[in-house]
Amino acid sequence: MTGDPEEATDVTVEATAETDIRARILDASAEAFMRAGYAGTTIDDLAREVGATKGLIYYHFRSKFDVFLAVYAEGMARVRARVEPWSRADGRGAERLAAMARAHLANLMEDLAYHHAIHQGVAGTVSAALRPRQRQDLQELSSLRADYEDMFRAVLQEGLDDGSVRPVDPRLATRTLLCSLNAVDTWFRPQADQPEADVEALAAALVDLVVGGLLPATAPPSPVRPG
Amino acid sequence: MTGDPEEATDVTVEATAETDIRARILDASAEAFMRAGYAGTTIDDLAREVGATKGLIYYHFRSKFDVFLAVYAEGMARVRARVEPWSRADGRGAERLAAMARAHLANLMEDLAYHHAIHQGVAGTVSAALRPRQRQDLQELSSLRADYEDMFRAVLQEGLDDGSVRPVDPRLATRTLLCSLNAVDTWFRPQADQPEADVEALAAALVDLVVGGLLPATAPPSPVRPG
DNA sequence: GTCTATAGTGGGATAGAC
DNA sequence: GTCTATCCCACTATAGAC
């Protein structure tokens, strides 16, 4: 289970100038938010990163917070698109879970800035003083996030059912699994001279660690202790 | 291994009015930072939480950032004091690691607000525009944090040596372990009517999950269990 | 020690030129 | 569509009364 479980139908999306500039703003914003955090980033920072001025940002987005929401949504859409096919692949629960974790990590390392933004959003650091509409938008995104987690939990549950996952609490295990994967964005920073193989090895090791910890173990609890 | 590995010598600290008010400010600040984040919290918020005004805060601390640093330092000191004794207890590596994880979680749930603040500090969300001196202070605290992680890694390494931990990369495993534990502060909120036993059960389940995943597995993928 | 008043400024948001 | 100019508020930090 290493290739792609399904070919993406190559729909040629009409890349209008509008979608193009929006995309560039989102990329730049994600990058800026990662560097200085949401609160520590000014609209001027975003504009400078795009190579434009404030006015441009406000032409395309109503507020700084709306930019954040769009970054969040885009990041979630990307990771989901990459992971979801694996949840419907062949194989036992644990194997599919490992494949999903690999895909999640691959996307995380690729779209590191977007994940960092999502992380902040979930942490709630952002929600200082929000208008009702914005609060509701954030709520909707949170439910996207919850759906994403549900997808993992469902597969983990299948692993419990088919015996490929040792008996654990599915909610807690899923949460912990995702947190372990996501924590990578706090310490992983791509190095210019780092060979692709190293990054893949890191991802493989982490998947092995976290999913491997869920495999059934018959080892005795070993209360030997010569205390 | 459930009791306390060593009695704390009951040094009677002279609680001057000074240390008292400082402590109250720190508690209130940690609480406020958890609610709205560092950037989203104003000095007025802190003051209101203490039941005083801005002037008081600035009498005891040079700046808002200094308050944050003090919260960070206090939180680290508390969790370290609670966990460190277990690292020197009797038993094999895996058992001590589990005891440390339990102690860490117990403190986390107790001093939730402090942990939340530390979490933000590590994430770097705070370091928007710092003066050189403040940047250095934050650096020092980061090294406290690194030392704390080293303590866990050393015990995990002993577990590798004595065979109580399955072969994993110690750096990666330690990081992941701590991240899994710390992630609790993103979703755990104490409920007023929640019995103490529930919280303990939660902690036990999590420790079992994350440390259990590090135990040696001699099992074949064990496809037992009736579908 | 704690409070009130206020100085100073950074930055989100808008209006209007081009 | 993109930029310039500017408004204005919130918030840090300080000065000085009590």
Side-chain angles (χ1 to χ4, degrees):
Chain A
M1 195 142 58
T2 309
D4 200 327
E6 54 181 25
E7 282 307 309
T9 48
D10 204 294
V11 177
T12 305
V13 177
E14 184 130 1
T16 62
E18 165 63 21
T19 64
D20 183 53
I21 184 62
R22 257 187 77 100
R24 278 178 47 220
I25 292 176
L26 291 188
D27 280 353
S29 301
E31 211 68 39
F33 290 156
M34 174 164 63
R35 253 206 306 281
Y38 174 79
T41 303
T42 70
I43 303 274
D44 284 318
D45 291 338
L46 301 186
R48 195 174 332 111
E49 186 107 6
V50 186
T53 62
K54 255 205 269 236
L56 182 70
I57 310 292
Y58 278 106
Y59 178 76
H60 292 278
F61 295 91
R62 275 194 216 152
S63 68
K64 178 181 168 184
F65 187 71
D66 271 27
V67 176
F68 174 81
L69 291 176
V71 168
Y72 191 121
E74 174 67 17
M76 279 304 303
R78 288 195 198 179
V79 72
R80 181 169 189 113
R82 182 119 174 210
V83 169
E84 204 260 338
W86 291 106
S87 76
R88 293 183 279 103
D90 292 332
R92 305 215 293 167
E95 291 160 38
R96 271 186 291 150
L97 202 60
M100 288 165 73
R102 268 192 295 274
H104 182 91
L105 269 183
N107 174 261
L108 186 144
M109 290 167 161
E110 204 169 289
D111 291 336
L112 194 59
Y114 282 90
H115 278 264
H116 207 92
I118 291 176
H119 214 154
Q120 285 185 47
V122 173
T125 310
V126 173
S127 61
L130 298 181
R131 301 172 125 75
R133 201 201 106 247
Q134 296 177 328
R135 194 171 286 278
Q136 190 185 343
D137 287 352
L138 189 58
Q139 203 80 26
E140 282 170 27
L141 291 185
S142 292
S143 80
L144 274 188
R145 213 268 172 200
D147 289 348
Y148 185 70
E149 188 172 323
D150 284 345
M151 184 173 74
F152 275 81
R153 185 162 56 244
V155 174
L156 192 143
Q157 182 62 54
E158 291 173 49
L160 288 173
D161 295 341
D162 67 25
S164 60
V165 170
R166 71 183 171 101
V168 292
D169 176 69
R171 295 188 73 89
L172 190 63
T174 305
R175 245 180 220 161
T176 303
L177 170 68
L178 278 173
C179 285
S180 298
L181 296 178
N182 287 332
V184 170
D185 71 19
T186 62
W187 49 267
F188 173 75
R189 289 295 175 276
Q191 308 290 328
D193 56 344
Q194 197 171 26
E196 181 70 18
D198 276 16
V199 176
E200 280 172 19
L202 172 66
L206 186 57
V207 171
D208 184 62
L209 183 69
V210 295
V211 180
L214 294 173
L215 301 182
T218 58
S222 80
V224 208
R225 191 162 33 126
Chain B
M1 195 144 54
T2 308
D4 201 325
E6 54 181 27
E7 282 307 309
T9 47
D10 204 294
V11 177
T12 306
V13 178
E14 183 129 1
T16 63
E18 165 63 22
T19 63
D20 183 53
I21 183 63
R22 257 186 76 99
R24 277 179 49 222
I25 293 177
L26 291 188
D27 280 354
S29 301
E31 211 67 39
F33 290 155
M34 174 164 63
R35 253 206 307 280
Y38 173 79
T41 303
T42 72
I43 302 274
D44 283 318
D45 290 337
L46 302 186
R48 196 175 330 113
E49 185 106 7
V50 186
T53 61
K54 256 201 268 237
L56 182 70
I57 310 291
Y58 278 106
Y59 179 76
H60 291 278
F61 295 90
R62 277 196 212 147
S63 68
K64 176 182 168 183
F65 188 70
D66 272 26
V67 176
F68 173 80
L69 290 176
V71 168
Y72 191 121
E74 174 68 16
M76 278 304 303
R78 288 195 198 178
V79 72
R80 184 173 185 107
R82 182 120 176 210
V83 169
E84 205 261 338
W86 292 106
S87 76
R88 293 182 279 104
D90 292 330
R92 305 217 292 167
E95 292 158 38
R96 271 185 291 149
L97 202 59
M100 289 165 72
R102 268 192 294 275
H104 182 91
L105 268 183
N107 174 262
L108 186 143
M109 289 168 162
E110 207 169 288
D111 291 336
L112 194 60
Y114 282 90
H115 278 264
H116 207 92
I118 291 176
H119 214 152
Q120 285 185 47
V122 173
T125 311
V126 172
S127 60
L130 298 181
R131 299 172 127 75
R133 201 201 105 249
Q134 296 178 327
R135 194 169 286 278
Q136 191 185 342
D137 287 351
L138 189 59
Q139 203 79 25
E140 282 170 28
L141 292 184
S142 292
S143 78
L144 274 189
R145 213 265 171 201
D147 290 347
Y148 185 71
E149 187 172 323
D150 284 345
M151 183 173 76
F152 275 81
R153 185 162 55 242
V155 175
L156 191 143
Q157 182 62 55
E158 291 173 48
L160 288 173
D161 295 341
D162 68 24
S164 62
V165 170
R166 71 182 170 101
V168 292
D169 175 69
R171 294 188 74 90
L172 189 63
T174 305
R175 243 180 220 161
T176 303
L177 170 68
L178 278 173
C179 285
S180 297
L181 296 178
N182 287 332
V184 169
D185 71 18
T186 60
W187 49 267
F188 173 76
R189 289 295 175 275
Q191 308 290 329
D193 56 344
Q194 198 171 25
E196 181 70 17
D198 276 15
V199 176
E200 279 172 19
L202 173 66
L206 186 57
V207 171
D208 184 62
L209 184 68
V210 293
V211 180
L214 294 174
L215 300 181
T218 56
S222 94
V224 230
R225 195 195 278 253

